[in-house]
């Protein structure tokens, strides 16, 4: 994706929140942060502190006097609002907003997410400049969402569409062992249980074996774990073996 | 859904973060918050302040000295980790973790999400008691996620399933046993292994115990299976017990 969306904070009050927004953005791979009329000016020491290093790693934050200047190079702008407004606009939840802007970004459009001041949110004038509204569905009994949390949720949903996101590889030694190794373990385990008179009657034995195999199979043991389990059997039955243990 | 998941913070340091976690949870409709060894004790004024009223609206927070006490009534536990650990566990991203625990909740299982201390995260011992790992995919160049942000993302993903209706019933006897029963099994199993000289050196013992607990936790044993495993131990060690077997 060529163009990643920008986050634009309008009339942000506390530097701490701006820094926390930067941190949340960079967590999710976004780095174009723009501010319109930050109350305490810019740069801001408290923002540096709460960004946990994010502001240093991001390109410089651009600061504007007017919303329209901050928006001027964007093709598609979504405004985040906590409550529904009396305006006819397409409404997206965070996941839909992310999907829509990811699709547009891939088509070369520049997208931005707007967030308003901590207590008052965006003005209707700013919302009027946006192509749609993002409303994050929250517990109707408790909707007080911190601005950095709102930025995080939108950025996080966007990051699901970012093709550069890293995949988590499973190391080979953590794979479940081939069945053969489990089978050898079962045979030894059941032989020892037989010696210990675990199977009360011959009639119950097949069902009990099936249940034990079912339970141990669910553990999806690695080869190392199977060796450990052999060691467990040896220790419990008082037999020393040469089987490697951990 | 009868049972909503709990959030368990282990060794949380700053009250501010605990309050922010409570706020994020309640935003998403979760309200069972548990703390294990909060550094500054409980209740905590700073937590009250940053919760923005969430703590007052939630049931009282339960505080524990040991992880296993906090876990004892849960059937399914997921541990949040920032980095991959050398442990064989199912790995979920936040959305998959939410889907899995929502499905289990609808079947009557009590689920919990574990979060570790701010800087150090969860210990491997705590992770070994969990059925799976939640890893939130983040920008590989900047993964420093605040604990409240991590709680928010998991709670938010969970909230997407809150109203969903469909449920496939699992008979109660097939549910994974509450953690308490597993804990009793672990204690007995490890005592018997100690008698059998399984732990070659004292230095290796904690790691070997962790690996065994990890492996057995993955099997998600039912209460019946735990009884069977007690019977297995009795049979292998040549001790007759009155524990019911299959």
């Amino acid at each position: 994706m060529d163009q990643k969306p920008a986050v634009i904070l309008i009339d942000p009050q506390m530097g701490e929140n701006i820094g926390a927004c930067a941190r949340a953005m960079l967590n999710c791979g976004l780095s174009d942060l723009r501010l319109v009329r930050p109350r305490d000016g810019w740069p801001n020491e408290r923002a540096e502190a709460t960004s946990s290093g994010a502001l240093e790693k991001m390109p410089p934050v651009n600061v504007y006097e007017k919303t329209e200047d901050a928006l001027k190079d964007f093709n598609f702008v979504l405004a985040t609002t906590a409550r529904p407004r009396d305006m006819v606009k397409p409404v997206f939840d965070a996941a839909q907003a992310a999907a829509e802007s990811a699709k547009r970004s891939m088509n070369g459009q520049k997208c931005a997410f707007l967030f308003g001041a901590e207590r008052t949110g965006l003005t209707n004038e700013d919302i009027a400049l946006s192509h749609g509204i993002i409303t994050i569905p929250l517990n109707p009994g408790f909707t007080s969402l911190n601005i950095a949390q709102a930025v995080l949720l939108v950025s996080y949903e966007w990051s699901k569409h970012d093709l550069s996101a890293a995949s988590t590889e499973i190391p080979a030694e953590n794979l479940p062992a081939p069945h053969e190794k489990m089978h050898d373990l079962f045979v030894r385990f059941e032989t020892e249980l037989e010696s210990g008179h675990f199977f009360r009657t011959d009639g119950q034995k097949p069902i009990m074996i099936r249940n034990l195999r079912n339970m141990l199979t669910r553990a999806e043991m690695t080869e190392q774990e199977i060796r450990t389990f052999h060691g467990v059997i040896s220790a419990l039955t008082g037999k020393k073996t040469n089987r490697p243990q951990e």
Side-chain angles (χ1 to χ4, degrees), chain A residues 222-232 243-246:
Chain A
T222 65
E223 297 202 28
Q224 175 60 55
E225 288 174 332
I226 289 175
R227 287 193 291 272
T228 300
F229 207 91
H230 276 293
V232 162
R243 289 179 186 277
Q245 296 180 17
E246 286 193 343

Side-chain angles (χ1 to χ4, degrees), chain A residues 13 17 21 28 32 35 42 45-46 79 88-89 144 167 201 204 219 223 232 234 238:
Chain A
Q13 311 281 298
N17 287 335
C21 288
C28 302
D32 184 351
L35 306 177
W42 194 259
E45 278 182 17
R46 289 172 176 227
V88 184
K89 292 268 186 214
S144 149
S167 71
T201 69
Q204 286 178 314
E223 297 202 28
V232 162
S234 299

Side-chain angles (χ1 to χ4, degrees), chain A residues 163-204:
Chain A
L163 298 177
S164 65
S167 71
T168 37
E169 291 274 329
I170 300 180
E173 67 267 25
N174 289 353
L175 296 179
H179 180 73
E180 188 176 24
K181 308 275 180 178
M182 280 307 281
H183 182 73
D184 293 346
L185 176 65
F186 289 152
V187 170
R188 180 176 174 219
F189 187 45
E190 292 148 13
T191 304
E192 296 288 1
L193 287 174
E194 180 89 62
S195 309
H197 309 291
F198 178 76
F199 305 111
R200 300 220 177 130
T201 69
D202 283 348
Q204 286 178 314

Side-chain angles (χ1 to χ4, degrees), chain A residues 7-134:
Chain A
V7 168
I8 304 178
L9 308 183
I10 301 184
D11 292 313
Q13 311 281 298
M14 296 176 65
E16 289 85 339
N17 287 335
I18 300 172
C21 288
R23 181 180 183 178
M25 287 173 60
L26 196 58
N27 280 150
C28 302
L30 296 182
S31 62
D32 184 351
L33 173 60
R34 304 177 180 209
L35 306 177
V36 177
R37 297 177 299 268
R39 184 190 65 187
D40 300 332
W42 194 259
N44 180 307
E45 278 182 17
R46 289 172 176 227
E48 299 286 343
T50 57
S51 87
S52 285
L55 285 168
E56 286 165 39
K57 296 189 177 192
M58 289 160 62
V61 171
N62 286 309
V63 181
Y64 304 86
E65 269 306 304
K66 293 180 175 174
T67 302
E68 51 263 44
D69 293 337
L71 294 185
K72 67 181 176 197
D73 50 339
F74 293 99
N75 304 92
F76 186 69
V77 176
L78 293 177
T80 312
T81 69
R83 54 207 153 81
R85 307 289 180 107
D86 242 1
M87 250 183 279
V88 184
K89 292 268 186 214
V91 176
F92 302 86
D93 66 24
Q96 293 162 337
E100 180 69 23
S101 39
K103 191 179 72 184
R104 290 171 182 263
S105 294
M106 277 186 286
N107 292 327
Q109 298 186 38
K110 279 196 80 172
C111 301
F113 304 123
L114 293 196
F115 295 83
E118 283 91 333
R119 291 191 184 281
T120 51
L122 290 167
T123 63
N124 285 336
E125 288 65 35
D126 290 334
I127 295 173
L129 300 177
S130 307
H131 299 93
I133 284 174
I134 307 176

